[in-house]
Amino acid sequence: MIKWIDYNADTKNPPRNRALLVYCPDFSSMGYEVAVWNGANFETDLHGEEIHDYVKKWCLIYEVD
């Protein structure tokens, strides 16, 4: 089960430099992107920090050992 965390000013920030799945329905046609939290903003390799203002929720993508 995926645990989505709402992103707003009152919530805890995601872990830095970890792969995150972000829900951003107004940013892309699929509504989801893979991003990282750089300590201040969400960012992607393709779009940089442009995505940050569109993120509504995020979840951690767990690494498999």
Side-chain angles (χ1 to χ4, degrees):
M1 178 179 211
I2 295 176
K3 180 179 176 178
W4 287 101
I5 299 169
D6 290 330
Y7 177 70
N8 60 48
D10 299 327
T11 61
K12 181 180 173 187
N13 290 331
R16 289 183 72 162
N17 303 319
R18 294 281 309 272
L20 305 167
L21 182 60
V22 296
Y23 175 61
C24 47
D26 298 328
F27 186 77
S28 68
S29 60
M30 272 195 309
Y32 299 91
E33 294 281 335
V34 174
V36 297
W37 176 256
N38 66 16
N41 293 304
F42 291 97
E43 67 179 338
T44 68
D45 286 339
L46 185 60
H47 302 290
E49 293 182 1
E50 180 181 336
I51 193 172
H52 178 77
D53 292 333
Y54 297 92
V55 175
K56 306 269 188 220
K57 298 179 183 218
W58 64 271
C59 70
L60 188 60
I61 297 175
Y62 291 98
E63 297 175 10
V64 177
D65 292 332

